[in-house]
Amino acid sequence: MANLKAFVPNHSPAQGRACRIVAIGKIANLLCGSWVREPERGEAKIRLVQSAQRARVERCSIDPGDLLTMNDPKLQAPAQVRHAVEADLDALTELCIRSKAHWGYDQAFMEACREEMTLTLADLAEAEIAVAVQSGEPAAMVQVGVVDGLADLHRLYVDPAFMRGGLGRTLFDWAVAKAKSLGAKAMTIEADPSAAAFYERMGATVVGSAPSGSIPGRELPLLRYKFGQASKG
């Protein structure tokens, strides 16, 4: 059995008991590679992430980045993708703005972008819009239009609360499938600079730049995605 002293720093008796609970769980996780749930009694009610490389004991706790809240519905509930309706427009506009602001733009920049980012009835009529609903909340949205056999990915935004959960890929795939069903052979994307790497992972290629519709003098990455290309992971 591994020496617990290697895992437990010097603390008060109460802190020591809590740390021993965590340390025992860590040892079991390393040996078995399975989820370990702590006893209901005990002062350290912590679930360890399965990846042993990330789990560490530090001042009688685990770094918050290593915790996985297993009962969080946002992590468990699968998203449902449906077509957007008029009643969604205001909420989806705010979702888009939250998502873009996530990349560190200041209030003045976001206000300059608001008009262009506002979804309208014309958007519903002229393009295909889907919303991913997770745990009853709009979590992401995508808008794609097709003209003369060429698709244009107008918008793809994920609410910051639901990022890193695969919704971007899910809605990108939805947009590709929808565009192909409407006869498109390829898709252009005017991307926020912070999102260009995501589209490249999906298989798109940077082919130039395009002027921002909101900020004079600002250029955005212009990408092209040929249908049938495989993503890069």
Side-chain angles (χ1 to χ4, degrees):
M1 184 73 179
N3 187 352
L4 291 183
K5 292 182 179 179
F7 293 89
V8 182
N10 292 327
H11 289 294
S12 68
Q15 290 175 319
R17 287 194 301 274
C19 285
R20 283 194 292 275
I21 293 171
V22 176
I24 291 169
K26 180 175 181 179
I27 293 168
N29 198 44
L30 287 169
L31 293 175
C32 304
S34 59
W35 289 102
V36 177
R37 184 172 182 174
E38 77 288 341
E40 288 302 319
R41 296 177 303 173
E43 298 150 70
K45 294 190 174 181
I46 296 173
R47 294 177 174 86
L48 295 178
V49 175
Q50 190 171 11
S51 174
Q53 290 84 355
R54 295 179 59 209
R56 62 186 181 273
V57 178
E58 185 174 309
R59 291 185 61 83
C60 201
S61 67
I62 300 296
D63 187 291
D66 292 338
L67 297 180
L68 179 60
T69 308
M70 296 299 291
N71 62 355
D72 186 345
K74 292 180 181 178
L75 298 178
Q76 292 184 331
Q80 296 180 333
V81 179
R82 61 169 174 79
H83 279 88
V85 297
E86 181 179 353
D88 294 319
L89 294 178
D90 288 346
L92 294 183
T93 294
E94 295 306 316
L95 184 156
C96 294
I97 291 170
R98 285 195 303 275
S99 181
K100 192 172 188 71
H102 173 77
W103 300 110
Y105 296 117
D106 61 24
Q107 185 174 355
F109 182 97
M110 294 307 304
E111 285 301 319
C113 295
R114 177 173 282 275
E115 182 177 354
E116 184 183 7
M117 298 183 71
T118 298
L119 285 154
T120 66
L121 287 173
D123 290 308
L124 277 180
E126 297 169 6
E128 301 289 332
I129 302 176
V131 53
V133 179
Q134 198 159 17
S135 304
E137 302 178 48
M141 65 81 62
V142 66
Q143 178 184 0
V144 62
V146 177
V147 177
D148 296 331
L150 181 63
D152 185 4
L153 189 69
H154 299 297
R155 294 176 172 89
L156 198 169
Y157 290 104
V158 179
D159 191 298
F162 294 92
M163 287 181 176
R164 310 287 191 271
L167 290 180
R169 178 186 290 270
T170 295
L171 291 187
F172 184 87
D173 290 344
W174 184 95
V176 168
K178 177 58 67 174
K180 290 171 68 174
S181 75
L182 295 174
K185 304 298 182 184
M187 183 166 66
T188 58
I189 308 160
E190 293 181 17
D192 185 280
S194 299
F198 164 78
Y199 294 116
E200 290 184 280
R201 290 197 300 273
M202 295 300 99
T205 302
V206 177
V207 295
S209 63
S212 166
S214 301
I215 309 296
R218 185 174 192 244
E219 293 288 316
L220 302 175
L222 177 64
L223 299 96
R224 185 178 180 92
Y225 179 85
K226 293 181 180 179
F227 296 155
Q229 291 186 196
S231 68
K232 299 177 183 178

